[in-house]
Amino acid sequence: MLGHRLITKETSPRGLPVDKVHVVEHLNIAQNFYLAITTDRTNNGCPLLLMSQGGGTVLEGLSTKNSNTVVRVPLTYGDGVVEPTIISLGARFALDREPLTTILQRLFTLFKECDATLVEINPLIRESDSGRLICANSKISIDNAASNRQSEIFGLRDKSQEMAVEIAAEKHGLVCIQLDGNIGCLVNGASLAMATNDAVAEYGCRCANFLDGGGKATKETMVKAFELILSDKRVNTILVNAFGGITRCDMIAESIIAAAQNFHGIPIVVRLQGTNSAEGQKM
């Protein structure tokens, strides 16, 4: 594995470089569980506890076949995991109360104190010999807005696992995610970017990137955005879909004009809507 690239459902088609391999003890597994706490966007961002039997890769198949497989329990930041929830989950999954209580409370403490958006144990296993509950694999996602508070955690970031263009975009206040198409896409706002990618896919094409200029974009950062798009040799068309709010459409038009000398014959399609859109279209 060392020196090769790992390709999974969670990576890009290029995969990620493998420079470390963790060796762990062999475990005799009696049962697998999935356990996580995440933010519930349908409930004002409150914590949501998720648990199911049959963790690991088995979970995806189970959850698609039966929506009742995963138990969902709304939580509050003030109360955390309360006793009735622990009793209910213990009975549902036939787990001893004491070790389950310890894991659930520690999981919630980690979620809250680390400003996490997701803390996941997959799988949580019950060992056949001892009956212990063991975290066999885990994942944690931290809110980027908490980078100042969580400086120690963000200091662990391994940029060698990230795309160079995405790191360069971040330095200029841009969000760029490489995709596998050939249409360079520049949008302001993550939701509009996702909708634009969906619209492009609907017509049988694919975007080369997800590039969000954000609400604090300036002429200079937008010119840089075009430079990043054009650095991808796969790009043979550029699509700009801008909804002017804080970011004015005439400023975006100025950025396009300033960057035009680097297009080298690559066609560009521009949609401007919102603040100063008429002025931008005239330019």
Side-chain angles (χ1 to χ4, degrees):
M1 294 180 68
L2 286 170
H4 295 274
R5 301 186 76 86
L6 178 67
I7 301 174
T8 71
K9 292 180 179 179
E10 297 183 349
T11 69
S12 70
R14 295 182 65 250
L16 295 172
V18 179
D19 52 21
K20 296 178 183 178
V21 174
H22 294 280
V23 180
V24 299
E25 64 177 307
H26 174 74
L27 298 172
N28 295 312
I29 301 173
Q31 286 178 292
N32 277 338
F33 302 94
Y34 174 88
L35 177 62
I37 297 178
T38 186
T39 51
D40 185 358
R41 298 185 183 279
T42 65
N43 187 25
N44 299 317
C46 289
L48 178 68
L49 189 150
L50 306 170
M51 189 169 184
S52 75
Q53 190 162 345
T57 56
V58 177
L59 177 68
E60 294 180 7
L62 289 173
S63 60
T64 54
K65 293 176 183 176
N66 183 0
S67 60
N68 295 322
T69 301
V70 181
V71 176
R72 295 170 170 81
V73 183
L75 306 176
T76 67
Y77 282 102
D79 295 331
V81 184
V82 295
E83 186 174 357
T85 295
I86 297 171
I87 294 172
S88 174
L89 292 175
R92 170 73 179 264
F93 298 106
L95 295 172
D96 293 336
R97 182 174 172 180
E98 185 175 345
L100 181 61
T101 299
T102 300
I103 286 178
L104 290 174
Q105 290 181 343
R106 288 180 177 176
L107 192 71
F108 180 78
T109 298
L110 179 66
F111 178 84
K112 182 177 179 180
E113 293 184 354
C114 292
D115 294 296
T117 56
L118 171 70
V119 178
E120 176 184 274
I121 302 176
N122 185 28
L124 171 68
I125 71 162
R126 186 173 66 81
E127 198 175 30
S128 56
D129 299 332
S130 65
R132 294 184 303 163
L133 289 178
I134 301 173
C135 169
N137 190 32
S138 64
K139 178 194 297 183
I140 182 168
S141 297
I142 310 297
D143 188 348
N144 287 331
S147 58
N148 290 332
R149 271 199 309 272
Q150 305 296 339
S151 58
E152 184 176 352
I153 295 176
F154 277 82
L156 300 173
R157 179 180 177 185
D158 183 0
K159 293 185 178 180
S160 69
Q161 296 289 316
E162 302 178 43
M163 302 287 289
V165 66
E166 297 176 5
I167 296 172
E170 185 180 317
K171 292 178 181 178
H172 295 274
L174 304 167
V175 176
C176 181
I177 299 173
Q178 290 289 82
L179 302 175
D180 58 357
N182 57 9
I183 298 177
C185 187
L186 175 58
V187 183
N188 62 321
S191 298
L192 185 57
M194 289 187 285
T196 303
N197 277 302
D198 289 343
V200 169
E202 179 71 18
Y203 284 89
C205 301
R206 292 184 297 179
C207 291
N209 64 275
F210 171 112
L211 204 158
D212 175 14
K216 297 181 180 179
T218 64
K219 177 181 175 180
E220 289 72 24
T221 60
M222 296 300 280
V223 169
K224 184 63 181 180
F226 283 111
E227 291 178 7
L228 293 172
I229 290 174
L230 292 166
S231 68
D232 187 343
K233 302 305 179 185
R234 301 170 304 163
V235 171
N236 58 22
T237 307
I238 298 175
L239 171 62
V240 178
N241 188 10
F243 186 83
I246 299 174
T247 303
R248 305 184 333 271
C249 290
D250 56 331
M251 184 271 287
I252 295 174
E254 289 178 1
S255 305
I256 295 171
I257 294 169
Q261 60 182 342
N262 298 318
F263 289 172
H264 302 300
I266 294 177
I268 180 170
V269 177
V270 181
R271 174 185 178 270
L272 300 176
Q273 187 73 37
T275 305
N276 291 0
S277 58
E279 291 85 342
Q281 290 167 3
K282 288 178 182 179
M283 297 172 68

